[in-house]
Amino acid sequence: MSDHGADRPDDSGDDTPQNPFAGTPFEALFNQLGFTQPGAGGSGGPAGFLPNGPSGTPAPDLNALMAQVQRMFQPHEGTVDASVTLDVARHTTAAAGPDPSTTPSQQAALADAVQLAEMWLDHATDLPRGATTSTAWSRAEWIEHTAGTWHTLSEPVAQHVVDAMSQAMPEEIRTMAGPLIGMLSQAGSAMFAQQLGRGLGELAGEVLSSTDIGLPLGPTGVAAVLPSNVEAFGEGLELTSTDVLLYVVLRECAHHRLFASAPWLKPALVAAIEEYGRGTKIDLEAVERRAAEFDPSRPQEIVDALQNGLFDPEPTPEQRQALDRLEHLLALVEGWVDEVVTQATHDRMPAATALAETMRRRRASGGPAEQTFASLVGLQLRPRRLRDAVNLWAAVRDRQGAEARDRFWQHPDVLPSPADLDDPLGFAEPSDDEGTDAFDAELRRLLDGDE
């Protein structure tokens, strides 16, 4: 897209380069960005598109755009450029306001809270402790320590989104475009990386711990909490900061116990996200409609549209099934954590009831988990399913004991189904001895088969 000056071809000649995106929604998109084909209202130019403003308006300032284009074509591993995601997340967090470093007193308070939380959880579940150490993070440190997991989670979706973008054009257009297809893929990858980075930067201002979205995002065995976010979470609750911190730590440690005791769980969640990505398709008509609405004199409007999901796909039936599985697993995880923490704090922590209600309201109004998965895979968590999961685990514990409640996590095939969430009391009814023996035999068969 550089200006060759005197080397420009004659607009009236037969060698005028053709627009490889002619007849596709991408033609409208690039025209709205301020690029036109030679002989199509522009003043002539090199092969490709030329910067050109609409009649009576100046051409868009392309300095920032060219800087981004240069960054797009930097070599990187995988579909998502992790360095771009990290840089955008850092800048987003920095722009949001102060992010103080953690202090020794905060680290000490967290260590004390973890020690007490683990003692209480020992009375609520037989699952062994999963966290071997603890640490307090700033928001920037949360980004640094969770970036690797986010890259793993986003790579499958990004790969299929980018592939869908290049496959969206007709075969004859792809043949004509040639190397431009690779450029389009890299541009799509850069847009995905920027969108993810901005989402992580915003999320860093809200998350309370390394497992706050329902997945262990940080290093294995590390109970990590963000003191500044925990303090903001507790504002207006009329509770002591010690109680608020302890409740967050109880949830963090319970998550670590569950994921350490069910090593298949995190891969199963990642697999559901990957399956969602495999069915990605781009709605070309929707892209064309949105591109036609852009105001060429306002380039930021176009940038915002790209970052906010201009190419976001509509879920297919197969993807909806994958989302249902992901939602179901997350509901079971969060329901189990709620149930275990409730038992751990019973008769020990009067403030736990108010904190549990605050946490439920936070989820119902669109907390970090909902916002993150909505941005990443289009998943909207339904609080009703979470409440059903809490009721199911509580019913199992009430009728069969905590050991039976925790035993279901030994293998995915014995977990409660979505239908079981609809009838938690029926699921929790204890089986007779013969039924219990059959359950144990089936569980042993599954576990032996895995080995």
Side-chain angles (χ1 to χ4, degrees), residues 179-192:
L180 291 180
I181 297 298
M183 296 172 62
L184 178 63
S185 296
Q186 288 179 289
S189 173
M191 287 188 291
F192 193 100

Side-chain angles (χ1 to χ4, degrees), residues 275-286:
E275 184 175 347
Y276 171 89
R278 283 198 296 268
T280 301
K281 293 181 175 62
I282 300 297
D283 185 346
L284 290 180
E285 293 183 358

Side-chain angles (χ1 to χ4, degrees), residues 374-393:
S375 174
L376 184 62
V377 299
L379 173 64
Q380 298 288 340
L381 289 177
R382 292 174 295 178
R384 181 182 65 83
R385 293 280 85 180
L386 296 178
R387 289 193 294 269
D388 292 341
V390 172
N391 292 336
L392 182 143
W393 293 127

Side-chain angles (χ1 to χ4, degrees), residues 311-394:
F311 294 102
D312 281 358
E314 288 294 324
T316 64
E318 294 77 13
Q319 287 178 306
R320 293 187 187 280
Q321 291 179 3
L323 293 181
D324 287 343
R325 284 195 295 275
L326 180 59
E327 178 192 53
H328 179 63
L329 277 176
L330 287 173
L332 290 176
V333 169
E334 292 303 285
W336 184 89
V337 169
D338 281 7
E339 147 67 12
V340 168
V341 170
T342 297
Q343 292 305 302
T345 56
H346 183 65
D347 291 337
R348 295 187 180 94
M349 187 179 181
T353 301
L355 286 164
E357 179 59 30
T358 302
M359 192 69 71
R360 281 192 289 269
R361 289 199 303 268
R362 179 172 178 255
R363 285 195 298 245
S365 62
E370 182 176 356
Q371 295 173 6
T372 301
F373 283 105
S375 174
L376 184 62
V377 299
L379 173 64
Q380 298 288 340
L381 289 177
R382 292 174 295 178
R384 181 182 65 83
R385 293 280 85 180
L386 296 178
R387 289 193 294 269
D388 292 341
V390 172
N391 292 336
L392 182 143
W393 293 127

Side-chain angles (χ1 to χ4, degrees), residues 29 32-35 54 57-65 68 294-307:
L29 173 61
Q32 294 295 338
L33 279 167
F35 293 94
T57 63
D61 181 3
L62 300 180
N63 289 336
L65 179 62
Q68 291 186 12
F294 294 151
D295 182 352
S297 65
R298 301 175 62 184
Q300 185 58 43
E301 177 182 318
I302 301 170
V303 173
D304 289 342
L306 294 175
Q307 292 180 338

Side-chain angles (χ1 to χ4, degrees), residues 239-240 243-244 247 348-356:
L239 298 172
T240 67
D243 279 343
V244 176
Y247 189 81
R348 295 187 180 94
M349 187 179 181
T353 301
L355 286 164

